[in-house]
Amino acid sequence: MDPDLNFLLQCKNEDLKNLADYLVYDPKDQKKRISESLTETMQYRNYYPNQMVKVVPQMVEELHRFGGNTVVNFFRGKGVSYKEILCDVSKKLKVNFNKNSSVERIESNLLQKVMYDSLDNMTQEEIQELGEDYGFKNAADIKRAIGVGSPMYFRVLILISQALVKRLGLSAVAAFLGSRALTILAGPVAWVATAIWAALDIAGPAYRVTTPCVILIASMRAMLGMSNEELSEYAQ
């Protein structure tokens, strides 16, 4: 298994289910992807949707395979590493990164780029709504406050996760964040989704799989170990 994705074995079942669903279903029509093969595995058939940790190796292999369609020739017959996929997606989204950096560092740069792009697409009213609890009144203030590990960083990170989940018609994130999250799904999450899906519209078919999956994986790693109470606090 890919050592950079071993942490998935520690993730919550619902997060893993969301990742599997992105590998299997096309958000545009909620139908299975023609090129997916995850649902054909014995592990998926036996353990989806309640024991997803047992499907992690097959999910990783499926992501590798989709990544191979973007990085190398389709007929190579096998996939590529997660870091290769991460770097490829980062290039596509014009992220400033060093390919020799750690996966965690590149993921942080990627998430920050998505955050900044989202802020650039916000109205002044949306900016004020996002920053009101922290006293921020403009996008520049919020960008300065989005340092890795800061409250604003996690607040926007949760919005990104919600945008991905909402796009596929899922409800896991909203379920454990409670009723407050449901109001967020109708508000700031809209412009986060806009930034992500605008990037996908200019990408090829395989990027429409790898890009949201990489963003989701990066978000899962960043939030690993956070309790539901902490997640709820940052979603307030």
Side-chain angles (χ1 to χ4, degrees), residues 5 19 23 58-68 79-80 82 85 209-210 213-214 217:
L5 293 179
L19 179 58
L23 290 166
Q58 290 70 39
M59 291 164 58
V60 170
E61 183 178 348
E62 184 85 336
L63 179 61
H64 282 178
R65 190 174 63 81
F66 275 116
V80 297
Y82 172 69
I85 298 170
V209 181
T210 57
C213 284
V214 165
I217 288 170

mmCIF file of all heavy atoms in Angstrom, residues 5 19 23 58-68 79-80 82 85 209-210 213-214 217:
data_model
loop_
_atom_site.group_PDB
_atom_site.id
_atom_site.type_symbol
_atom_site.label_atom_id
_atom_site.label_comp_id
_atom_site.label_asym_id
_atom_site.label_seq_id
_atom_site.Cartn_x
_atom_site.Cartn_y
_atom_site.Cartn_z
ATOM 1 N N LEU A 5 -0.523 7.134 2.153
ATOM 2 C CA LEU A 5 -1.957 7.013 2.404
ATOM 3 C C LEU A 5 -2.269 6.026 3.527
ATOM 4 O O LEU A 5 -3.433 5.685 3.741
ATOM 5 C CB LEU A 5 -2.686 6.598 1.120
ATOM 6 C CG LEU A 5 -2.672 7.642 -0.008
ATOM 7 C CD1 LEU A 5 -3.386 7.111 -1.230
ATOM 8 C CD2 LEU A 5 -3.293 8.958 0.446
ATOM 9 N N LEU A 19 -14.952 9.162 0.324
ATOM 10 C CA LEU A 19 -13.867 9.023 -0.641
ATOM 11 C C LEU A 19 -14.184 7.928 -1.654
ATOM 12 O O LEU A 19 -13.978 8.101 -2.864
ATOM 13 C CB LEU A 19 -12.559 8.714 0.082
ATOM 14 C CG LEU A 19 -11.321 8.526 -0.791
ATOM 15 C CD1 LEU A 19 -11.048 9.768 -1.640
ATOM 16 C CD2 LEU A 19 -10.106 8.192 0.083
ATOM 17 N N LEU A 23 -14.777 8.028 -5.884
ATOM 18 C CA LEU A 23 -14.093 7.159 -6.836
ATOM 19 C C LEU A 23 -15.087 6.408 -7.728
ATOM 20 O O LEU A 23 -14.791 6.109 -8.880
ATOM 21 C CB LEU A 23 -13.219 6.145 -6.091
ATOM 22 C CG LEU A 23 -11.975 6.716 -5.401
ATOM 23 C CD1 LEU A 23 -11.391 5.693 -4.425
ATOM 24 C CD2 LEU A 23 -10.918 7.124 -6.428
ATOM 25 N N GLN A 58 -7.998 -1.277 -1.609
ATOM 26 C CA GLN A 58 -8.623 -1.274 -2.934
ATOM 27 C C GLN A 58 -8.944 0.154 -3.380
ATOM 28 O O GLN A 58 -8.826 0.480 -4.572
ATOM 29 C CB GLN A 58 -9.898 -2.119 -2.919
ATOM 30 C CG GLN A 58 -9.664 -3.615 -2.787
ATOM 31 C CD GLN A 58 -9.147 -4.027 -1.420
ATOM 32 O OE1 GLN A 58 -9.573 -3.493 -0.396
ATOM 33 N NE2 GLN A 58 -8.233 -4.976 -1.412
ATOM 34 N N MET A 59 -9.311 1.010 -2.440
ATOM 35 C CA MET A 59 -9.562 2.408 -2.765
ATOM 36 C C MET A 59 -8.273 3.089 -3.221
ATOM 37 O O MET A 59 -8.274 3.871 -4.183
ATOM 38 C CB MET A 59 -10.154 3.131 -1.542
ATOM 39 C CG MET A 59 -11.561 2.681 -1.184
ATOM 40 S SD MET A 59 -12.056 3.196 0.489
ATOM 41 C CE MET A 59 -11.879 4.966 0.385
ATOM 42 N N VAL A 60 -7.188 2.810 -2.525
ATOM 43 C CA VAL A 60 -5.888 3.387 -2.882
ATOM 44 C C VAL A 60 -5.480 2.924 -4.279
ATOM 45 O O VAL A 60 -5.012 3.717 -5.107
ATOM 46 C CB VAL A 60 -4.820 3.000 -1.842
ATOM 47 C CG1 VAL A 60 -3.423 3.385 -2.346
ATOM 48 C CG2 VAL A 60 -5.111 3.675 -0.506
ATOM 49 N N GLU A 61 -5.667 1.649 -4.559
ATOM 50 C CA GLU A 61 -5.331 1.114 -5.880
ATOM 51 C C GLU A 61 -6.169 1.782 -6.974
ATOM 52 O O GLU A 61 -5.663 2.097 -8.054
ATOM 53 C CB GLU A 61 -5.556 -0.398 -5.898
ATOM 54 C CG GLU A 61 -5.162 -1.058 -7.203
ATOM 55 C CD GLU A 61 -5.342 -2.565 -7.168
ATOM 56 O OE1 GLU A 61 -5.549 -3.119 -6.062
ATOM 57 O OE2 GLU A 61 -5.280 -3.200 -8.239
ATOM 58 N N GLU A 62 -7.433 2.017 -6.686
ATOM 59 C CA GLU A 62 -8.313 2.669 -7.661
ATOM 60 C C GLU A 62 -7.865 4.104 -7.927
ATOM 61 O O GLU A 62 -7.842 4.559 -9.071
ATOM 62 C CB GLU A 62 -9.758 2.657 -7.133
ATOM 63 C CG GLU A 62 -10.780 3.222 -8.095
ATOM 64 C CD GLU A 62 -11.281 2.202 -9.104
ATOM 65 O OE1 GLU A 62 -10.561 1.216 -9.373
ATOM 66 O OE2 GLU A 62 -12.383 2.387 -9.635
ATOM 67 N N LEU A 63 -7.489 4.823 -6.868
ATOM 68 C CA LEU A 63 -6.994 6.188 -7.035
ATOM 69 C C LEU A 63 -5.703 6.189 -7.846
ATOM 70 O O LEU A 63 -5.516 7.032 -8.738
ATOM 71 C CB LEU A 63 -6.759 6.836 -5.669
ATOM 72 C CG LEU A 63 -6.212 8.273 -5.704
ATOM 73 C CD1 LEU A 63 -7.179 9.215 -6.425
ATOM 74 C CD2 LEU A 63 -5.937 8.783 -4.281
ATOM 75 N N HIS A 64 -4.815 5.262 -7.558
ATOM 76 C CA HIS A 64 -3.573 5.133 -8.321
ATOM 77 C C HIS A 64 -3.872 4.953 -9.808
ATOM 78 O O HIS A 64 -3.203 5.535 -10.672
ATOM 79 C CB HIS A 64 -2.775 3.923 -7.828
ATOM 80 C CG HIS A 64 -2.047 4.162 -6.552
ATOM 81 N ND1 HIS A 64 -1.304 3.187 -5.931
ATOM 82 C CD2 HIS A 64 -1.943 5.268 -5.771
ATOM 83 C CE1 HIS A 64 -0.768 3.675 -4.818
ATOM 84 N NE2 HIS A 64 -1.145 4.939 -4.702
ATOM 85 N N ARG A 65 -4.876 4.134 -10.101
ATOM 86 C CA ARG A 65 -5.211 3.839 -11.485
ATOM 87 C C ARG A 65 -5.759 5.086 -12.193
ATOM 88 O O ARG A 65 -5.369 5.391 -13.317
ATOM 89 C CB ARG A 65 -6.235 2.708 -11.540
ATOM 90 C CG ARG A 65 -6.482 2.147 -12.929
ATOM 91 C CD ARG A 65 -7.407 0.944 -12.866
ATOM 92 N NE ARG A 65 -8.720 1.319 -12.346
ATOM 93 C CZ ARG A 65 -9.672 1.887 -13.091
ATOM 94 N NH1 ARG A 65 -9.454 2.147 -14.367
ATOM 95 N NH2 ARG A 65 -10.835 2.187 -12.561
ATOM 96 N N PHE A 66 -6.647 5.803 -11.519
ATOM 97 C CA PHE A 66 -7.159 7.034 -12.108
ATOM 98 C C PHE A 66 -6.033 8.046 -12.295
ATOM 99 O O PHE A 66 -5.996 8.778 -13.283
ATOM 100 C CB PHE A 66 -8.259 7.635 -11.235
ATOM 101 C CG PHE A 66 -9.632 7.073 -11.492
ATOM 102 C CD1 PHE A 66 -10.298 6.367 -10.515
ATOM 103 C CD2 PHE A 66 -10.250 7.251 -12.713
ATOM 104 C CE1 PHE A 66 -11.572 5.844 -10.736
ATOM 105 C CE2 PHE A 66 -11.516 6.739 -12.966
ATOM 106 C CZ PHE A 66 -12.180 6.028 -11.972
ATOM 107 N N GLY A 67 -5.121 8.092 -11.322
ATOM 108 C CA GLY A 67 -3.991 9.007 -11.428
ATOM 109 C C GLY A 67 -3.110 8.699 -12.609
ATOM 110 O O GLY A 67 -2.559 9.599 -13.242
ATOM 111 N N GLY A 68 -2.975 7.405 -12.928
ATOM 112 C CA GLY A 68 -2.181 7.011 -14.075
ATOM 113 C C GLY A 68 -2.743 7.537 -15.379
ATOM 114 O O GLY A 68 -2.006 7.765 -16.342
ATOM 115 N N GLY A 79 -1.221 2.136 -12.071
ATOM 116 C CA GLY A 79 -1.336 3.511 -11.625
ATOM 117 C C GLY A 79 -0.025 4.108 -11.164
ATOM 118 O O GLY A 79 1.050 3.537 -11.368
ATOM 119 N N VAL A 80 -0.125 5.270 -10.526
ATOM 120 C CA VAL A 80 1.053 5.978 -10.027
ATOM 121 C C VAL A 80 0.843 6.303 -8.556
ATOM 122 O O VAL A 80 -0.259 6.192 -8.029
ATOM 123 C CB VAL A 80 1.295 7.272 -10.827
ATOM 124 C CG1 VAL A 80 1.600 6.952 -12.276
ATOM 125 C CG2 VAL A 80 0.087 8.203 -10.742
ATOM 126 N N TYR A 82 0.498 8.234 -4.876
ATOM 127 C CA TYR A 82 -0.327 9.360 -4.449
ATOM 128 C C TYR A 82 0.428 10.673 -4.577
ATOM 129 O O TYR A 82 -0.136 11.687 -5.003
ATOM 130 C CB TYR A 82 -0.787 9.171 -3.001
ATOM 131 C CG TYR A 82 -1.493 10.406 -2.466
ATOM 132 C CD1 TYR A 82 -2.738 10.776 -2.946
ATOM 133 C CD2 TYR A 82 -0.887 11.225 -1.509
ATOM 134 C CE1 TYR A 82 -3.389 11.923 -2.482
ATOM 135 C CE2 TYR A 82 -1.518 12.361 -1.039
ATOM 136 C CZ TYR A 82 -2.774 12.702 -1.526
ATOM 137 O OH TYR A 82 -3.390 13.837 -1.069
ATOM 138 N N ILE A 85 0.274 11.904 -8.031
ATOM 139 C CA ILE A 85 -1.066 12.420 -8.316
ATOM 140 C C ILE A 85 -1.256 13.787 -7.670
ATOM 141 O O ILE A 85 -1.773 14.722 -8.301
ATOM 142 C CB ILE A 85 -2.146 11.447 -7.803
ATOM 143 C CG1 ILE A 85 -2.029 10.100 -8.509
ATOM 144 C CG2 ILE A 85 -3.548 12.032 -8.003
ATOM 145 C CD1 ILE A 85 -2.898 9.015 -7.903
ATOM 146 N N VAL A 209 -11.853 13.139 -11.325
ATOM 147 C CA VAL A 209 -11.809 12.145 -10.245
ATOM 148 C C VAL A 209 -10.696 12.501 -9.273
ATOM 149 O O VAL A 209 -10.915 12.611 -8.065
ATOM 150 C CB VAL A 209 -11.570 10.720 -10.797
ATOM 151 C CG1 VAL A 209 -11.562 9.710 -9.640
ATOM 152 C CG2 VAL A 209 -12.622 10.349 -11.824
ATOM 153 N N THR A 210 -9.493 12.688 -9.801
ATOM 154 C CA THR A 210 -8.338 12.862 -8.924
ATOM 155 C C THR A 210 -8.361 14.182 -8.162
ATOM 156 O O THR A 210 -7.957 14.220 -6.994
ATOM 157 C CB THR A 210 -7.025 12.765 -9.723
ATOM 158 O OG1 THR A 210 -7.019 13.745 -10.775
ATOM 159 C CG2 THR A 210 -6.858 11.381 -10.330
ATOM 160 N N CYS A 213 -10.744 14.061 -5.132
ATOM 161 C CA CYS A 213 -10.251 13.032 -4.210
ATOM 162 C C CYS A 213 -9.016 13.515 -3.463
ATOM 163 O O CYS A 213 -8.887 13.293 -2.249
ATOM 164 C CB CYS A 213 -9.934 11.740 -4.969
ATOM 165 S SG CYS A 213 -11.398 10.788 -5.438
ATOM 166 N N VAL A 214 -8.103 14.189 -4.163
ATOM 167 C CA VAL A 214 -6.907 14.713 -3.508
ATOM 168 C C VAL A 214 -7.278 15.794 -2.496
ATOM 169 O O VAL A 214 -6.738 15.825 -1.380
ATOM 170 C CB VAL A 214 -5.913 15.257 -4.563
ATOM 171 C CG1 VAL A 214 -4.844 16.126 -3.898
ATOM 172 C CG2 VAL A 214 -5.247 14.115 -5.303
ATOM 173 N N ILE A 217 -8.782 14.002 0.478
ATOM 174 C CA ILE A 217 -7.741 13.309 1.253
ATOM 175 C C ILE A 217 -6.918 14.310 2.065
ATOM 176 O O ILE A 217 -6.627 14.078 3.246
ATOM 177 C CB ILE A 217 -6.835 12.489 0.312
ATOM 178 C CG1 ILE A 217 -7.585 11.264 -0.202
ATOM 179 C CG2 ILE A 217 -5.551 12.061 1.036
ATOM 180 C CD1 ILE A 217 -6.866 10.518 -1.314
#
